Amino acid sequence: MIEKIDHIGIAVKDLENSFAKFKNIFNISNYHQETVEEQKVKIISFLIADVRIELTAPTDQDSPIHKFLEKRGEGIHHIAFKVDKIIEELDKLKNLGINLINDSPVDGAHNMKIAFLHPKSTNGVLIELCTEK
Ligand code: ZN
């Protein structure tokens, strides 16, 4: 079952500069910074009201975020939905014929298990499912 929108991922080239901008605009004092080795990204995330925004920059040339930036430039990268049972959700989507980037969950930020659906199956929107480990 989908519980809520967990976060919105924004692809950026320069994490620190981008965060400095968001920090000023939204007067952010609390934030979380992390490198996610498995995704080859570094993130800074923070809450605006009760919505988590996740600024994401590549740590490597073959990071999916690097490819996204090359192709489409900076901007909204994905919407993440929190689910209670991620494996069950992925099976359900497979049965519906939805293309999955991750057939089974992988490690994400915030100690979460995550999986992406292929944007070709979802009108060009990259959707992430996530769940607490
Ligand atoms: Zn995400």
Side-chain angles (χ1 to χ4, degrees):
M1 195 185 73
I2 290 176
E3 295 175 344
K4 62 168 189 171
I5 290 182
D6 186 78
H7 62 272
I8 296 169
I10 298 176
V12 300
K13 289 177 185 159
D14 185 319
L15 195 59
E16 281 72 25
N17 271 338
S18 307
F19 178 57
K21 250 184 281 175
F22 277 83
K23 200 175 167 185
N24 277 338
I25 297 167
F26 295 103
N27 199 23
I28 297 154
S29 50
N30 289 322
Y31 65 95
H32 169 84
Q33 189 160 11
E34 183 179 348
T35 299
V36 185
E37 301 292 347
E38 189 157 347
Q39 304 292 322
K40 295 180 178 160
V41 295
K42 48 186 180 171
I43 65 145
I44 292 180
S45 71
F46 46 86
L47 290 172
I48 297 176
D50 60 350
V51 175
R52 185 150 55 97
I53 303 293
E54 204 164 271
L55 302 179
T56 309
T59 56
D60 199 287
Q61 294 275 322
D62 60 357
S63 165
I65 291 286
H66 180 77
K67 285 171 202 152
F68 178 89
L69 288 168
E70 295 267 282
K71 249 186 167 173
R72 302 183 48 183
E74 293 183 301
I76 291 180
H77 178 255
H78 66 274
I79 301 174
F81 294 95
K82 192 173 179 198
V83 297
D84 54 353
K85 292 175 181 151
I86 194 163
I87 291 170
E88 221 168 77
E89 288 297 331
L90 291 173
D91 284 345
K92 201 162 79 185
L93 294 168
K94 260 182 252 174
N95 289 334
L96 289 173
I98 303 292
N99 271 331
L100 304 176
I101 292 176
N102 307 107
D103 279 322
S104 49
V106 295
D107 288 335
H110 297 274
N111 207 26
M112 303 270 253
K113 282 287 182 190
I114 66 167
F116 286 100
L117 318 188
H118 201 289
K120 278 184 184 154
S121 281
T122 48
N123 297 72
V125 180
L126 180 58
I127 292 177
E128 175 190 321
L129 301 183
C130 61
T131 193
E132 269 147 27
K133 276 186 194 169

